[in-house]
Amino acid sequence: MTDFSTIKRLFSITEPNGFTENEIKIVKDIFGELPEVFIDYYTELGKIQNLNHTQDLLIIPERFQYYKNDDYLIFYSENQKACVWGIHKEDLSKSNPPVYMSYDEKEWKLETETLTDFFIAMAFLQAGFALEYTAECFYEIDDEGLNFIVENYKNKGVSFTQWADGINFYGNHDDEVIIVMSNNQLFYSSNTKEHFLEMDKVLSKIGDEL
């Protein structure tokens, strides 16, 4: 079983809540073989709403028919469908394949090296909007502000290379995330008030409200 402990700690998930084998079979009937990590995620975490539908959207089994593509299994969509993410059909036999992003479903670019990295990165992005305590606005930061974050907070180890001109994630606790988009926009959240106030006291002062 794929290790999703980082996501579970971030969202305080203690029980699995996913799709059944029969529900996932709907996707298998369309695409045939599916990656092990894909099945594990849908089985264990697929029905958790704040994780999968707060900002961007995990494609649920009955909606895959509306995201047909000749070359990719599209499984995630930006909330207004500004872009989608997919797995190349030649990679569906791999247990943990790379994920690609497309704005037009014609040109595709590598987003993450593995599907696991994508699910963790997307969990951090969703967490910015979904956790109990969130920044009330985005902040614009300069190079000095960016360097402060890099030097004082741990890099979460996953990132988006394409969406929003690159998104990186930081934080010193398992239940918090600092999101830096395009190296100049910042927002942050936590599932505990103590950790949020600890961040807010510092981060709200290093940028300008947008």
Side-chain angles (χ1 to χ4, degrees), residues 85 99-101 109-113 118 159-163:
W85 290 272
V99 175
Y100 296 83
M101 187 272 272
K109 293 184 178 180
L110 181 67
E111 183 75 272
T112 61
E113 294 287 347
F118 175 86
S159 63
F160 287 107
T161 58
Q162 301 298 328
W163 179 228

Side-chain angles (χ1 to χ4, degrees), residues 151-164:
E151 292 170 4
N152 289 277
Y153 295 93
K154 296 176 184 176
N155 190 304
K156 294 289 190 179
V158 293
S159 63
F160 287 107
T161 58
Q162 301 298 328
W163 179 228

Side-chain angles (χ1 to χ4, degrees), residues 3-206:
D3 181 8
F4 295 121
S5 58
T6 298
I7 298 174
K8 293 175 183 177
R9 289 193 297 267
L10 178 65
F11 279 81
S12 301
I13 297 167
T14 57
E15 298 291 335
N17 185 7
F19 294 96
T20 65
E21 185 176 345
N22 283 340
E23 288 172 314
I24 295 172
K25 187 177 182 297
I26 297 170
V27 189
K28 286 184 177 179
D29 288 344
I30 298 172
F31 297 99
E33 194 166 10
L34 295 174
E36 178 184 354
V37 172
F38 179 98
I39 294 172
D40 288 348
Y41 185 89
Y42 272 76
T43 300
E44 191 167 359
L45 302 173
K47 288 186 177 180
I48 299 174
Q49 290 297 307
N50 64 340
L51 169 62
N52 297 307
H53 296 281
T54 295
Q55 173 65 14
D56 301 318
L57 309 171
L58 180 75
I59 309 304
I60 60 176
E62 59 262 35
R63 292 198 60 81
F64 271 89
Q65 60 182 312
Y66 302 114
Y67 289 85
K68 288 183 179 178
N69 183 280
D70 288 342
D71 299 309
Y72 288 82
L73 184 167
I74 297 171
F75 68 97
Y76 228 106
S77 174
E78 193 271 340
N79 69 84
Q80 296 180 331
K81 212 178 178 185
C83 73
V84 294
W85 290 272
I87 302 165
H88 196 280
K89 290 185 176 179
E90 291 184 359
D91 292 332
L92 292 177
S93 61
K94 298 177 181 178
S95 64
N96 197 14
V99 175
Y100 296 83
M101 187 272 272
S102 177
Y103 291 107
D104 59 6
E105 299 181 29
K106 296 176 183 176
E107 181 182 1
W108 295 80
K109 293 184 178 180
L110 181 67
E111 183 75 272
T112 61
E113 294 287 347
T114 68
L115 184 55
T116 303
D117 283 352
F118 175 86
F119 281 132
I120 295 172
M122 183 57 80
F124 283 127
L125 183 58
Q126 298 271 32
F129 304 92
L131 298 188
E132 186 170 357
Y133 302 95
T134 64
E136 294 182 359
C137 65
F138 283 71
Y139 293 91
E140 184 175 18
I141 57 173
D142 56 17
D143 289 345
E144 184 178 350
L146 177 61
N147 290 336
F148 178 86
I149 292 169
V150 171
E151 292 170 4
N152 289 277
Y153 295 93
K154 296 176 184 176
N155 190 304
K156 294 289 190 179
V158 293
S159 63
F160 287 107
T161 58
Q162 301 298 328
W163 179 228
D165 296 321
I167 307 176
N168 293 289
F169 306 98
Y170 302 87
N172 292 334
H173 300 286
D174 289 340
D175 63 354
E176 72 182 24
V177 62
I178 300 164
I179 300 168
V180 178
M181 307 176 72
S182 310
N183 284 332
N184 63 9
Q185 290 187 31
L186 161 73
F187 65 113
Y188 47 92
S189 67
S190 177
N191 247 346
T192 60
K193 186 175 183 179
E194 177 188 0
H195 292 160
F196 177 78
L197 292 176
E198 188 179 282
M199 288 190 296
D200 190 57
K201 183 178 179 180
V202 177
L203 297 178
S204 63
K205 295 179 174 63
I206 68 170

